[in-house]
Amino acid sequence: MPHRKLTVCLMNDSFPPAIDGVANAVVNYARIIDRRLGKTIVAAPDYPNVEDNYPFPVVRYRSIDTTRIVGYRAGYPFSVRTVAALADAKPDIIHSHCPAMSTAMARVLREQIDVPMVFTYHTKFDIELSRTGLVERVQKGALRLLVDNVAACDEVWVVSRGAGENLRGLGYQGEYTVMENGVDFPKGRVPEEAARALREELALPMDIPVYLFVGRMMWYKGIRLMMDALARLKQEGRDFRMVMVGDGLERKEMEDYVKQLELTDRVLFAGTVLDRERLRAFYCMADLFLFPSTFDTNGIVVREAAACGLGSVLIKDSCAAEDLTDGENALMIEENADSLHALLERTGFDRPALRALGQRAMDQLYLSWEDAVERAYERYGVVLENYKRGLSHRSMEWSDEVYNLMSDFCRGIKYVRGVGGAIYQKIHR
């Protein structure tokens, strides 16, 4: 643990009112550091009529509306006023959670105040970028910008080894440190009457298994193979319910697909659940968590499920399955509907066995945000010491290409939002 309290500047393009795993991570870093360890200041893109009622300061800066494309607004990284406000807070260390705009601003800030910069890689950015509708040249340019930004950091963290190897696959050649995310749920189930009440509210029968998914409604999270497997179960006369919690750009397509498969009597779209205690009740009333995603690099939702005594079905060798054991604290499948169907047919209706699986997941996988952030805070001390000793191997130069790519990226965003909007919609139908 550092000998003195540190002021940490946290930066990310995704921050409330945007809702995703990375936004959740930044909020918890800020909340826990500010409450227990030191001070924080957060820099995030502006939103219309946003109100920040946090115990820590949030500096908002000019942004571009990219919510239809990536789910959150992209910030403008060269805001002089914002950099000045952040510099006035005198941070000891800068921690960016977005490899593009936020890390570009972090680099500008570092040049002004001469402190080290840490970056955490949360998301397979190449997959996220491929779905934006931007032309290929801009996508390739954005990936070069990403690698340039990451190489400029004093230390690089990843949320899993799989995330680190994905980053290497994009061209990053430096070292990385695995720094896992935690969960903000307490360890343990909600009272049984609360779980039962939620089942009654959702009209879910008490005597059949309920499967659960929590996350953004995007096809790349394995939703199609999940629905195909469930359709086969129904055709075989199996009774179950599938509850989908969350929202996203492709939810309407998914609802249409459920109708096409004649699963509307089995699958319930519950929408976004913002209340964390209510979300705990969703996990606790379910029998099995289905998360067949190869996109997610860490899968905070898998840890949330484990915190509530709910076991997960995961794709074998995916990042979400990293360090988990098939049959012990999770269930593994191949990335296809046949494999999921076979697993559910074999074990998905044995509710006592599923409850035992969930208990083992709780006992073995739980990691609180308090413990995760405390470990990160201890590492800040190492980063600071290395920085003072001149041991950082970061790239110091801003390439001219970075500025050109920034310009291309902004023009591409405007195209997708404007003239290209119709093309984007056609691609994603």
Side-chain angles (χ1 to χ4, degrees), residues 313-335:
V313 176
L314 307 168
I315 302 297
K316 181 182 178 182
D317 297 327
S318 65
C319 292
E322 199 169 284
D323 296 329
L324 275 63
T325 303
D326 185 23
E328 174 62 22
N329 49 32
L331 299 173
M332 306 296 175
I333 60 169
E334 301 297 328
E335 194 177 3

Side-chain angles (χ1 to χ4, degrees), residues 35-85:
R35 188 182 72 228
R36 293 180 46 206
L37 304 171
K39 295 182 179 179
T40 53
I41 182 170
V42 174
D46 196 18
Y47 278 75
N49 304 314
V50 68
E51 293 185 10
D52 294 310
N53 299 314
Y54 299 101
F56 48 83
V58 178
V59 177
R60 296 283 183 172
Y61 53 93
R62 187 154 57 94
S63 63
I64 304 170
D65 186 1
T66 54
T67 51
R68 282 194 309 157
I69 303 169
V70 294
Y72 51 84
R73 295 178 74 96
Y76 174 69
F78 301 120
S79 168
V80 174
R81 181 177 297 178
T82 304
V83 172

Side-chain angles (χ1 to χ4, degrees), residues 13-14 18 20 45-48 62-76 98 100-101 125 128-129 131-134 216 218 249 409-418 424:
D13 274 22
S14 180
D20 61 20
D46 196 18
Y47 278 75
R62 187 154 57 94
S63 63
I64 304 170
D65 186 1
T66 54
T67 51
R68 282 194 309 157
I69 303 169
V70 294
Y72 51 84
R73 295 178 74 96
Y76 174 69
C98 172
M101 302 307 189
F125 201 78
E128 192 81 81
L129 195 62
R131 304 186 63 82
T132 60
L134 296 171
R216 281 193 295 166
M218 305 295 286
L249 300 175
F409 182 76
C410 291
R411 281 199 298 269
I413 290 294
K414 289 179 180 178
Y415 174 77
V416 172
R417 291 175 57 216
Y424 172 82

Side-chain angles (χ1 to χ4, degrees), residues 58-234:
V58 178
V59 177
R60 296 283 183 172
Y61 53 93
R62 187 154 57 94
S63 63
I64 304 170
D65 186 1
T66 54
T67 51
R68 282 194 309 157
I69 303 169
V70 294
Y72 51 84
R73 295 178 74 96
Y76 174 69
F78 301 120
S79 168
V80 174
R81 181 177 297 178
T82 304
V83 172
L86 297 175
D88 286 344
K90 296 181 172 55
D92 297 291
I93 194 164
I94 306 165
H95 188 173
S96 174
H97 293 257
C98 172
M101 302 307 189
S102 292
T103 300
M105 176 176 281
R107 295 177 67 179
V108 175
L109 177 61
R110 182 179 60 185
E111 290 188 3
Q112 298 298 312
I113 61 177
D114 189 24
V115 300
M117 180 173 71
V118 174
F119 165 69
T120 295
Y121 188 65
H122 293 267
T123 304
K124 291 181 178 178
F125 201 78
D126 52 333
I127 298 177
E128 192 81 81
L129 195 62
S130 69
R131 304 186 63 82
T132 60
L134 296 171
V135 297
E136 184 177 359
R137 179 175 65 86
V138 176
Q139 290 186 36
K140 289 181 177 179
L143 290 176
R144 290 196 297 271
L145 167 63
L146 179 155
V147 173
D148 185 278
N149 277 342
V150 174
C153 297
D154 297 284
E155 186 159 290
V156 175
W157 297 351
V158 296
V159 295
S160 65
R161 292 188 303 276
E165 292 311 300
N166 174 260
L167 183 57
R168 287 262 174 80
L170 301 183
Y172 173 69
Q173 298 178 352
E175 298 299 316
Y176 62 75
T177 297
V178 176
M179 196 69 67
E180 292 181 334
N181 290 330
V183 297
D184 58 3
F185 288 170
K187 184 178 181 179
R189 298 177 58 82
V190 301
E192 286 301 319
E193 55 267 26
R196 177 176 292 273
L198 181 58
R199 276 211 182 203
E200 291 175 350
E201 176 189 331
L202 299 176
L204 303 174
M206 298 293 178
D207 58 346
I208 63 170
V210 172
Y211 308 134
L212 179 70
F213 172 88
V214 177
R216 281 193 295 166
M217 296 296 151
M218 305 295 286
W219 286 119
Y220 58 54
K221 288 181 176 281
I223 308 299
R224 192 179 301 276
L225 77 84
M226 190 163 67
M227 295 305 169
D228 289 346
L230 295 176
R232 288 184 59 184
L233 285 180
K234 180 183 177 181

